Amino acid sequence: MSTLIRFLGFLVSAVVLPVLTGLLPLSFLPADKREFHLLVPAGYFTSFALFELTGLPVLFLTWAGNFKLLVVLYLLFSLAVIAAGAVRCAKSGGIRLPRGVRILLTRMGKLQGKKAIVGEKEAFLFWLIFLCILGVQLYMALTRASYDGDDAYYVAQSLQAYQTGTMYNYVPYTGVSTTLDGRHALAMIPMWIAAVSKLCRTHPTIITHTMLPLVFLVFADICLYSVSKELLVMEPELARRRMLPAMMILFALLQIFGNVSIYTPETFLMMRTWQGKTVFANMVLPSLFWLLLVLAHRSEGMEYAEEGYGRFPYIMLVLVNIASGFCTSLAPVLCTGLLLAGSLFIRIFMKQKKVFGRVLLCCIPNILYSLFLVFLMLPVLRGGA
């Protein structure tokens, strides 16, 4: 019973709480465009950005980084964001059910009758194949936990915060007290894992190696689903229904058999799921390409050109940019380069004059983050010189 309670606590703190924070950015979409596959990335990136913006002041302005204060503030701010998002969504039409649920209800005759079943049989079969592959991935992640040398640093940092109530105050290899590690301190994902552990009263090692992969694998697939859907936006409806699950099957197979070296995104996803580099490569980068595609397709008079979509892609860009710094300290630099190059391409070839300037404004958090990182690393750089 105690194990079940802790697992339910994990689901609440690592799934329900982050996903529901996505109600606020999603409320800027028209009601008929608010779908579940948008709620999940919006929620996690909002939660990561919120934790980063809360954690850094606590880390630098309190003695030894008051971890307990961070957990309390993160919980309160998350609940406030959820409440604001729920109110905004309720007043403007709510959220649509996931497409898979709608298809299932349709086949049961609950929504649109027999006409809607046409063209869904192949899609239903493809989705079933994909879910079977995903089930194998989740089973392997749960029962075949892999261990990596980086665990000696990242998992140990989470454990020290969990046990001592301080952040980055001890050398994870020896346990002796130390000064703040500027290279790693700005990426707060080990502290987020420790916060999840504290909220569900479960050891951080169990969270990282057993429970968190069950969440992040699904999160990565939802980000890839968003990219795939945008890539197929110009395809006919019936073709898109079949091609979308087929692409997800290919992505899942690449994730399973992509272990051609220890540095591929697939290797990180399947074997080091809990690390910030994994979240950056498999969640942040696909989401950036998705948002760039959204901005590019607006010039074609397609789905995202409708009134009401103007704010949402840029709000998401800001959240994803902040979340990139939450993952790893070099990610903001890479994200800024990708976004500026992509927006410049849209500016030149899609004739959208305002996109580059708006994307540049969305990259301001990354620029400030990078400058602050250089400032923290100056003593190390001078010593190396």
mmCIF file of all heavy atoms in Angstrom, residues 24 32 51 155 168 217 238 254 261 264 272 284 288 333 372:
data_model
loop_
_atom_site.group_PDB
_atom_site.id
_atom_site.type_symbol
_atom_site.label_atom_id
_atom_site.label_comp_id
_atom_site.label_asym_id
_atom_site.label_seq_id
_atom_site.Cartn_x
_atom_site.Cartn_y
_atom_site.Cartn_z
ATOM 1 N N LEU A 24 -2.604 27.402 -18.897
ATOM 2 C CA LEU A 24 -2.461 28.851 -19.076
ATOM 3 C C LEU A 24 -1.972 29.215 -20.476
ATOM 4 O O LEU A 24 -2.626 30.020 -21.163
ATOM 5 C CB LEU A 24 -1.534 29.423 -18.004
ATOM 6 C CG LEU A 24 -1.402 30.952 -17.992
ATOM 7 C CD1 LEU A 24 -2.760 31.615 -17.836
ATOM 8 C CD2 LEU A 24 -0.461 31.397 -16.872
ATOM 9 N N ASP A 32 -11.485 25.570 -30.209
ATOM 10 C CA ASP A 32 -11.524 24.401 -31.090
ATOM 11 C C ASP A 32 -10.133 23.913 -31.498
ATOM 12 O O ASP A 32 -10.006 22.885 -32.162
ATOM 13 C CB ASP A 32 -12.344 24.713 -32.342
ATOM 14 C CG ASP A 32 -11.760 25.865 -33.145
ATOM 15 O OD1 ASP A 32 -11.082 26.732 -32.547
ATOM 16 O OD2 ASP A 32 -11.978 25.906 -34.364
ATOM 17 N N PHE A 51 10.076 26.352 -12.747
ATOM 18 C CA PHE A 51 11.051 25.859 -11.779
ATOM 19 C C PHE A 51 12.388 26.575 -11.948
ATOM 20 O O PHE A 51 13.052 26.916 -10.963
ATOM 21 C CB PHE A 51 11.232 24.352 -11.949
ATOM 22 C CG PHE A 51 11.959 23.704 -10.809
ATOM 23 C CD1 PHE A 51 11.265 23.191 -9.732
ATOM 24 C CD2 PHE A 51 13.348 23.592 -10.812
ATOM 25 C CE1 PHE A 51 11.930 22.590 -8.676
ATOM 26 C CE2 PHE A 51 14.017 22.996 -9.768
ATOM 27 C CZ PHE A 51 13.306 22.493 -8.695
ATOM 28 N N VAL A 155 22.684 12.290 -10.421
ATOM 29 C CA VAL A 155 21.807 11.635 -9.449
ATOM 30 C C VAL A 155 22.266 11.949 -8.025
ATOM 31 O O VAL A 155 21.445 12.146 -7.126
ATOM 32 C CB VAL A 155 21.765 10.117 -9.699
ATOM 33 C CG1 VAL A 155 20.887 9.424 -8.666
ATOM 34 C CG2 VAL A 155 21.242 9.829 -11.106
ATOM 35 N N TYR A 168 23.679 22.141 -4.585
ATOM 36 C CA TYR A 168 25.033 22.281 -5.116
ATOM 37 C C TYR A 168 26.023 22.745 -4.041
ATOM 38 O O TYR A 168 26.947 23.500 -4.325
ATOM 39 C CB TYR A 168 25.050 23.259 -6.294
ATOM 40 C CG TYR A 168 24.199 22.827 -7.447
ATOM 41 C CD1 TYR A 168 22.963 23.429 -7.699
ATOM 42 C CD2 TYR A 168 24.601 21.805 -8.302
ATOM 43 C CE1 TYR A 168 22.169 23.030 -8.763
ATOM 44 C CE2 TYR A 168 23.818 21.395 -9.364
ATOM 45 C CZ TYR A 168 22.606 22.003 -9.591
ATOM 46 O OH TYR A 168 21.822 21.609 -10.644
ATOM 47 N N LEU A 217 9.597 9.196 -21.783
ATOM 48 C CA LEU A 217 9.448 8.511 -23.069
ATOM 49 C C LEU A 217 8.149 8.912 -23.761
ATOM 50 O O LEU A 217 8.116 9.169 -24.963
ATOM 51 C CB LEU A 217 9.494 7.004 -22.864
ATOM 52 C CG LEU A 217 10.884 6.375 -22.680
ATOM 53 C CD1 LEU A 217 10.758 4.920 -22.235
ATOM 54 C CD2 LEU A 217 11.691 6.463 -23.957
ATOM 55 N N LEU A 238 -7.586 12.143 -45.147
ATOM 56 C CA LEU A 238 -7.515 10.690 -45.080
ATOM 57 C C LEU A 238 -6.069 10.196 -45.121
ATOM 58 O O LEU A 238 -5.707 9.256 -44.418
ATOM 59 C CB LEU A 238 -8.325 10.061 -46.223
ATOM 60 C CG LEU A 238 -9.841 10.235 -46.143
ATOM 61 C CD1 LEU A 238 -10.506 9.606 -47.361
ATOM 62 C CD2 LEU A 238 -10.386 9.607 -44.859
ATOM 63 N N LEU A 254 13.290 3.868 -34.545
ATOM 64 C CA LEU A 254 14.580 4.551 -34.477
ATOM 65 C C LEU A 254 15.040 4.714 -33.036
ATOM 66 O O LEU A 254 16.242 4.611 -32.738
ATOM 67 C CB LEU A 254 14.478 5.922 -35.155
ATOM 68 C CG LEU A 254 14.384 5.920 -36.682
ATOM 69 C CD1 LEU A 254 14.124 7.328 -37.204
ATOM 70 C CD2 LEU A 254 15.659 5.365 -37.301
ATOM 71 N N SER A 261 25.874 4.593 -31.126
ATOM 72 C CA SER A 261 26.968 5.104 -30.316
ATOM 73 C C SER A 261 26.371 5.583 -28.997
ATOM 74 O O SER A 261 25.152 5.638 -28.835
ATOM 75 C CB SER A 261 27.704 6.259 -31.022
ATOM 76 O OG SER A 261 26.986 7.475 -30.891
ATOM 77 N N THR A 264 24.160 9.267 -29.351
ATOM 78 C CA THR A 264 22.977 9.564 -30.153
ATOM 79 C C THR A 264 21.809 9.965 -29.247
ATOM 80 O O THR A 264 21.724 9.522 -28.091
ATOM 81 C CB THR A 264 22.572 8.345 -30.992
ATOM 82 O OG1 THR A 264 22.213 7.267 -30.112
ATOM 83 C CG2 THR A 264 23.702 7.905 -31.897
ATOM 84 N N ARG A 272 19.605 6.988 -20.766
ATOM 85 C CA ARG A 272 19.869 8.066 -19.794
ATOM 86 C C ARG A 272 18.701 9.050 -19.832
ATOM 87 O O ARG A 272 18.881 10.256 -20.003
ATOM 88 C CB ARG A 272 21.187 8.762 -20.128
ATOM 89 C CG ARG A 272 22.394 7.889 -19.920
ATOM 90 C CD ARG A 272 23.686 8.655 -20.072
ATOM 91 N NE ARG A 272 24.192 8.618 -21.427
ATOM 92 C CZ ARG A 272 25.307 9.223 -21.820
ATOM 93 N NH1 ARG A 272 26.031 9.914 -20.962
ATOM 94 N NH2 ARG A 272 25.710 9.149 -23.070
ATOM 95 N N VAL A 284 13.106 19.299 -26.318
ATOM 96 C CA VAL A 284 13.255 20.723 -26.632
ATOM 97 C C VAL A 284 13.473 20.942 -28.125
ATOM 98 O O VAL A 284 12.763 21.739 -28.764
ATOM 99 C CB VAL A 284 14.407 21.340 -25.814
ATOM 100 C CG1 VAL A 284 14.712 22.763 -26.304
ATOM 101 C CG2 VAL A 284 14.057 21.366 -24.338
ATOM 102 N N LEU A 288 11.159 22.973 -30.873
ATOM 103 C CA LEU A 288 11.597 24.168 -31.601
ATOM 104 C C LEU A 288 11.335 24.028 -33.092
ATOM 105 O O LEU A 288 10.878 24.977 -33.747
ATOM 106 C CB LEU A 288 13.085 24.417 -31.338
ATOM 107 C CG LEU A 288 13.469 24.877 -29.931
ATOM 108 C CD1 LEU A 288 14.972 25.078 -29.830
ATOM 109 C CD2 LEU A 288 12.743 26.160 -29.543
ATOM 110 N N VAL A 333 22.447 28.593 -25.975
ATOM 111 C CA VAL A 333 23.235 29.073 -27.114
ATOM 112 C C VAL A 333 22.817 28.349 -28.390
ATOM 113 O O VAL A 333 22.612 28.965 -29.448
ATOM 114 C CB VAL A 333 24.733 28.870 -26.845
ATOM 115 C CG1 VAL A 333 25.558 29.335 -28.044
ATOM 116 C CG2 VAL A 333 25.157 29.621 -25.592
ATOM 117 N N PHE A 372 25.009 35.480 -18.135
ATOM 118 C CA PHE A 372 25.156 35.152 -16.720
ATOM 119 C C PHE A 372 26.068 33.940 -16.536
ATOM 120 O O PHE A 372 26.885 33.888 -15.602
ATOM 121 C CB PHE A 372 23.785 34.892 -16.100
ATOM 122 C CG PHE A 372 23.806 34.753 -14.601
ATOM 123 C CD1 PHE A 372 24.466 35.680 -13.811
ATOM 124 C CD2 PHE A 372 23.170 33.695 -13.987
ATOM 125 C CE1 PHE A 372 24.491 35.556 -12.432
ATOM 126 C CE2 PHE A 372 23.180 33.557 -12.611
ATOM 127 C CZ PHE A 372 23.843 34.495 -11.831
#
